[in-house]
Amino acid sequence: MSWIVTGGAGYIGAHVVRALAGAGLDPVIIDDLSSGVASFAPEGVPFVRGSILDRDLVESTLREYRAEGVIHVAGYKYAGVSVQRPLHTYAQNVEGTRVILEAMQAVGVQNIVFSSSAAVFGTPDVPLVVEDTAKRPASPYGESKLIGEWLLRDQAVATADSDAPLRHTSLRYFNVVGSADPTVYDVSPHNLFPIVFEALLDGRTPKIFGDDYATEDGTNVRDYVHVGDIAAAHVAAAQRLAAGEHVEPAYNLGSGDGLSVKQIMDAVARVTGIDFAPEIGPRRPGDPDRIVATGELAARDLDWKMRYSVDEMVRTGWEARRRAS
Ligand SMILES: NC(=O)c1ccc[n+]([C@@H]2O[C@H](COP(=O)([O-])OP(=O)(O)OC[C@H]3O[C@@H](n4cnc5c(N)ncnc54)[C@H](O)[C@@H]3O)[C@@H](O)[C@H]2O)c1
């Protein structure tokens, strides 16, 4: 029996694959390498190159590797670009999820863990986001992730009385950073850590967008979590699903305690030894003061905890990125 990891050659998926293998579960990757990196897939793990939109390919992979479940990480993750390319985002994230559920039903595969996002909340108006906080996605990306959660829920209802009822959970990530393997790093051109690292590697000064927010030091506060902790939560979720234990429909993988952009910049200077004072630019439209979530439900069910400090987040991410250049 195996666990199929869609998007297993991407930043988070490649970590999930390693964590599954480390726990003695047998991962198999499906990835079309649209944003993934072939070398992120560890040697010895079967790699099926192709799109999750290809129903025959997904179905034959589930059969061939006798899948016990799917960890559905593949997706198009750029919220800003999704505003310009909603149809592309919906095809990848909504149709992709629908195809996987259809193939799972055809083969009788019952377990799925879905990569959802903080983007389902949009701009929350509460200081601490919980699972039930109102969902007001502010982009086609956030909408597509919320629809993904609904697809899982609806398919579970529809199959409840069948021979193979769907069992599911959605893990909502906030800002995923760092590396738990020095050969895998975040290639995103839009996330804070890669942007700061690229600037430093190019000899440019990193920039902070706005320092007059209603936070302690005036810069945005966000929930940063290490990718190694994220990967471990997937293993716990897969194990619970396989054991038939109770899982919630969704878990916020939050730290309960955010970090400001200035705190991150200070950690970057401290860890890299590069003494810089970030440039202060204007605010970016729509950037809320603070988004922080509690991870209490996940701590209860998925052994979720912050195992990495902010300095370790920066150090591991920086080392992996530097090694690649
Ligand atoms: N990185 C974050 O901070 C973050 C936050 C919230 C949610 N997420 C979600 O987590 C998931 C993984 O994010 P990531 O940071 O690893 O991104 P990534 O771009 O590094 O990984 C996505 C992987 O999916 C693959 N993929 C995309 N479309 C595919 C398709 N149609 N068929 C097969 N493979 C396909 C890509 O090639 C890539 O390997 C995404 O679904 C993203 O929306 C990420």
Side-chain angles (χ1 to χ4, degrees):
M1 300 287 271
S2 64
W3 280 84
I4 309 300
V5 183
T6 70
Y11 167 52
I12 296 172
H15 281 92
V16 170
V17 165
R18 283 163 174 75
L20 287 169
L25 304 174
D26 290 329
V28 173
I29 296 170
I30 301 182
D31 200 302
D32 66 358
L33 296 181
S34 52
S35 60
V37 180
S39 66
F40 286 1
E43 269 182 35
V45 171
F47 185 108
V48 179
R49 182 165 180 183
S51 174
I52 54 165
L53 296 173
D54 181 344
R55 157 77 201 271
D56 291 344
L57 178 108
V58 176
E59 192 175 322
S60 63
T61 305
L62 295 177
R63 281 190 206 286
E64 182 180 345
Y65 292 97
R66 298 178 53 247
E68 176 157 36
V70 176
I71 302 197
H72 177 30
V73 183
Y76 187 73
K77 69 171 176 177
Y78 300 127
V81 184
S82 79
V83 177
Q84 269 85 51
R85 300 182 70 199
L87 302 182
H88 171 262
T89 303
Y90 276 95
Q92 296 301 315
N93 295 357
V94 177
E95 174 63 2
T97 304
R98 194 198 66 77
V99 167
I100 283 167
L101 291 170
E102 195 175 59
M104 287 175 69
Q105 184 169 19
V107 182
V109 177
Q110 287 179 261
N111 302 310
I112 183 165
V113 180
F114 174 58
S115 293
S116 187
S117 169
V120 301
F121 295 109
T123 305
D125 51 11
V126 290
L128 200 55
V129 175
V130 294
E131 279 72 7
D132 289 343
T133 295
K135 313 296 177 300
R136 298 195 196 99
S139 65
Y141 170 70
E143 288 162 354
S144 73
K145 289 291 176 181
L146 189 54
I147 296 172
E149 292 189 14
W150 292 342
L151 282 175
L152 268 57
R153 176 198 65 191
D154 293 347
Q155 180 68 352
V157 170
T159 58
D161 295 328
S162 72
D163 292 342
L166 185 75
R167 296 167 40 73
H168 66 101
T169 191
S170 295
L171 304 183
R172 299 185 188 127
Y173 318 149
F174 288 70
N175 297 274
V176 185
V177 298
S179 289
D181 181 307
T183 63
V184 180
Y185 57 94
D186 186 0
V187 296
S188 162
H190 302 290
N191 292 353
L192 177 66
F193 272 48
I195 290 174
V196 172
F197 293 158
E198 291 308 318
L200 292 178
L201 288 168
D202 289 353
R204 289 178 282 114
T205 307
K207 203 167 180 175
I208 291 181
F209 295 97
D211 65 351
D212 56 352
Y213 287 92
T215 58
E216 265 181 31
D217 64 22
T219 65
N220 296 138
V221 171
R222 296 286 180 273
D223 210 330
Y224 295 91
V225 293
H226 194 277
V227 68
D229 290 333
I230 294 280
H234 289 74
V235 174
Q239 287 170 329
R240 269 185 98 93
L241 285 170
E245 290 169 13
H246 170 78
V247 282
E248 298 291 336
Y251 294 94
N252 292 346
L253 299 183
S255 69
D257 184 22
L259 290 164
S260 73
V261 176
K262 177 156 188 326
Q263 284 176 302
I264 300 285
M265 295 286 188
D266 289 348
V268 171
R270 201 161 51 233
V271 169
T272 62
I274 302 173
D275 187 18
F276 68 93
E279 268 176 47
I280 307 296
R283 285 181 176 215
R284 287 183 304 195
D287 250 356
D289 297 334
R290 176 187 167 88
I291 303 180
V292 177
T294 156
E296 278 171 23
L297 268 190
R300 186 194 69 191
D301 292 350
L302 306 179
D303 190 28
W304 168 248
K305 51 170 105 83
M306 298 295 110
R307 295 174 179 85
Y308 296 80
S309 67
V310 58
D311 281 18
E312 285 167 328
M313 293 179 192
V314 172
R315 182 183 54 75
T316 56
W318 173 245
E319 281 175 3
R321 180 59 194 86
R322 242 187 3 169
R323 195 181 151 127
S325 54

